[in-house]
Amino acid sequence: MTRNGRQYLAIPGPSVMPDRVLAAMHRASPDIYAGELPEMAPGIVRDLKALARTSQHVAIYIANGHGAWEAANANMFSREDAALALVTGRFGEGWAQYVSALGVEVTRLDFGKQGPVDPTRVAEALRADASHRIRAVVMSHVDTTTSVRNDVAAVRAAIDEAGHPALLAVDCIASLGCDVFEMDGWGVDVMVCASQKGMMTPPGLGFVWVSDRAKAACAGSGWRTPYWDWTPRIEAHEFYQYFGGTAPTHHLYGLRTALDMLLHEEGIEAVWRRHGTLARAVWAAVDAWGSGNDGIGLNVAEPEFRSHAVTTTRFAPARASELRRWVEANTGVTLGVGLGMGPPQERVSDGYLRIGHMGHVNAHMTLGVLGALEAGMQALGIAHGKGGLAAAAAVIAGA
Ligand SMILES: *Cc1c(COP(=O)(O)O)cnc(C)c1O
């Protein structure tokens, strides 16, 4: 057995947390009325905006990603509204269900599990809505189940081309701090994220970034309730107003450190480049394993539509769960299950697994995961093309 040693959870969130983030949280309860913690808030808000590349607004919630969806929904919609949901995997469908549970009429455009949103179909659907009942277009930047990455700017262009006033609302829970994202540059109105993926902080904080346009357009939304209303959080005059009550004290210390590492030490462009290189190393290995073997392969054919944070990988027929178990038991690496890739009634698919490469991750960790997978395929007699590790190493060497 070669399992003992530091364990590595290589799933697409919660991601690896830096020891410095954990250490920053290890302290007695801080004062929430005066001193260091309240004084930290404006800087955190400023850096959250920098992370999303916006000069507009951000609201913080004590919530996971599902809570951030609910926060965005509660501000955007009234009961009589309609929404257009662009679905490229289970998380896109999940947000659509949350919207429709409010009584909002949701039209889904499903683009399957292996490719991106087609902006032409978005423009068509918006043009068909002559009375402009559609209040918002909701989509995932990256869908974490399929690892499809969508072209957000192209969706904005489609909305504009259709001459439709709908807001553009984007789920960046799996992509912020991993893939390039430009809120203002791409014309995004509402963006949601949670703390535990690219943001390298424990689960428990949800964020909603808001454009000036969305702030004005949503002022009269019928689903607003005191807790979810983003207005006081965006315009907080007192520390408690940022959180609608007691602050998430320890999370804020962790987040402060994570933002320092991402923005002020490594720099967000370098963070994006690191994720890009690690993703290409994973793709090179999987391509090599799959050459001459059609059971193994990347879920998304075109590189420009692949996530840089997670890679959904086919190990068919039905060898993925077995391989995942072997790798966990023998190497100390835990990989992500294949979620929502099979028929609708099947939550976990044995034909796929997901390799997480998001957050506080570097070359030795990703090469280690790939090496663990290669050992597992050898041990289990899973036929695979040669040279996967060498191909991954070449990507790192050439970066
Ligand atoms: C993880 C994730 C979610 C759900 O976030 P939770 O914190 O688990 O509620 C939603 N959307 C995407 C794209 C995700 O990656």
Side-chain angles (χ1 to χ4, degrees), residues 170-364:
V170 185
D171 172 349
C172 290
I173 298 171
S175 56
L176 194 70
C178 307
D179 286 278
V180 175
F181 179 79
E182 301 277 357
M183 172 153 170
D184 290 356
W186 295 351
V188 173
D189 291 301
V190 173
M191 188 270 276
V192 299
C193 194
S195 49
Q196 76 273 21
K197 298 187 186 180
M199 297 178 79
M200 312 192 301
T201 304
L205 290 178
F207 309 92
V208 183
W209 286 258
V210 181
S211 70
D212 291 322
R213 188 170 158 259
K215 187 165 172 266
C218 297
S221 292
W223 270 116
R224 281 191 164 180
T225 50
Y227 187 77
W228 294 114
D229 187 355
W230 62 35
T231 321
R233 295 170 192 257
I234 285 173
E235 295 168 355
H237 304 296
E238 302 280 350
F239 183 59
Y240 76 90
Q241 292 179 312
Y242 286 106
F243 315 104
T246 302
T249 49
H250 290 68
H251 274 77
L252 293 178
Y253 278 102
L255 179 64
R256 179 62 274 162
T257 301
L259 291 169
D260 283 341
M261 293 174 73
L262 292 170
L263 297 167
H264 305 304
E265 295 172 22
E266 188 173 0
I268 194 63
E269 279 101 357
V271 172
W272 291 337
R273 279 195 297 277
R274 170 166 54 83
H275 281 87
T277 302
L278 297 179
R280 280 191 296 280
V282 171
W283 306 341
V286 176
D287 280 342
W289 295 334
S291 69
N293 177 327
D294 58 14
I296 302 175
L298 297 164
N299 182 48
V300 182
E302 289 176 79
E304 65 194 288
F305 297 119
R306 293 179 194 152
S307 160
H308 287 179
V310 53
T311 300
T312 302
T313 309
R314 194 173 68 253
F315 285 94
R319 299 302 298 270
S321 298
E322 189 189 354
L323 177 58
R324 210 184 139 264
R325 273 195 301 276
W326 189 95
V327 166
E328 181 166 54
N330 293 281
T331 76
V333 170
T334 300
L335 292 152
V337 297
L339 202 57
M341 290 301 296
Q345 68 278 10
E346 183 183 287
R347 203 174 105 83
V348 172
S349 164
D350 272 349
Y352 294 84
L353 56 75
R354 290 174 304 155
I355 305 169
H357 33 96
M358 60 166 59
H360 191 55
V361 176
N362 59 18
H364 86 75

Side-chain angles (χ1 to χ4, degrees), residues 64-66 69 91 140 142-144 171 173-174 194 196-197:
N64 59 17
H66 286 74
W69 282 346
F91 281 111
S140 309
V142 164
D143 196 300
T144 325
D171 172 349
I173 298 171
Q196 76 273 21
K197 298 187 186 180

Side-chain angles (χ1 to χ4, degrees), residues 371-394:
L373 276 167
E374 209 166 284
M377 289 188 286
Q378 285 183 27
L380 298 174
I382 297 175
H384 59 283
K386 298 287 168 241
L389 278 182

